[in-house]
Amino acid sequence: MRNTFTILALSAFIFIFTSCNSNHQKISNSKDTYQYVEKKAELTGILKQKVGSWAKEGEICYGVMVATNSKGKAEYGKPVKAKIINIESDRIKMKSLEDINLGEKKGCSKLSVSSGTTWWEKDGDLFKTKEEAISFLKKKGLFR
């Protein structure tokens, strides 16, 4: 019986030792052959048409902040200086570079964006210059 136990223990030890070695070799080989390929997302469709080809990660530009009434209708807005920090095919992640306050609103102490605030721009209301952003707001009758 003691010989049977010794043979079983030795067999188990050899099995475990060879299993660990073979798994280690498989892991090592898979790491050696794996190559990460980073894909850069590009704007597509209507968003690309609205924003244009100038939009790239790191670009400084202007978005618009719009105040709405209780029914969700846009009432007025201001341009906000921002930086593009990420681009996906259907949206652009923006970071505010300035504080903007649209003022008091009933039921809310203020409508504002602080410097450093991020948001996903899906509508494409981004402009290369502040003047372009103001012109857009004026055309919509939203600039004050």
Side-chain angles (χ1 to χ4, degrees):
M1 178 132 166
R2 186 175 173 169
N3 283 342
T4 306
F5 178 73
T6 306
I7 291 172
L8 283 175
L10 185 59
S11 297
F13 177 74
I14 291 171
F15 176 75
I16 291 171
F17 181 73
T18 58
S19 298
C20 290
N21 269 349
S22 64
N23 284 341
H24 178 66
Q25 289 171 348
K26 287 179 188 175
I27 291 171
S28 294
N29 289 340
S30 66
K31 284 183 183 177
D32 293 338
T33 59
Y34 176 77
Q35 289 183 335
Y36 173 74
V37 178
E38 185 174 342
K39 289 191 234 173
K40 280 284 191 185
E42 291 185 13
L43 293 175
T44 58
I46 295 171
L47 194 57
K48 184 175 184 174
Q49 290 173 348
K50 278 186 89 173
V51 175
S53 60
W54 61 266
K56 295 178 179 28
E57 287 181 15
E59 189 77 33
I60 306 296
C61 58
Y62 289 84
V64 292
M65 184 175 162
V66 177
T68 57
N69 63 20
S70 60
K71 295 178 183 176
K73 184 178 183 230
E75 291 189 337
Y76 58 94
K78 288 183 180 180
V80 57
K81 188 175 185 179
K83 181 178 185 178
I84 297 173
I85 56 175
N86 191 7
I87 295 178
E88 293 183 1
S89 62
D90 60 345
R91 61 189 188 165
I92 301 171
K93 188 153 193 178
M94 305 297 300
K95 180 179 182 179
S96 173
L97 299 177
E98 62 184 352
D99 296 334
I100 295 291
N101 186 352
L102 291 177
E104 301 284 328
K105 183 177 180 183
K106 190 175 184 179
C108 182
S109 60
K110 62 182 178 176
L111 294 171
S112 65
V113 171
S114 299
S115 181
T117 302
T118 61
W119 74 93
W120 285 103
E121 178 60 48
K122 295 178 183 177
D123 296 328
D125 295 333
L126 297 177
F127 306 92
K128 186 85 171 131
T129 66
K130 187 174 186 174
E131 291 74 26
E132 290 173 343
I134 291 171
S135 176
F136 170 81
L137 290 168
K138 284 180 178 178
K139 284 179 190 174
K140 300 282 185 181
L142 300 171
F143 186 70
R144 279 192 188 177

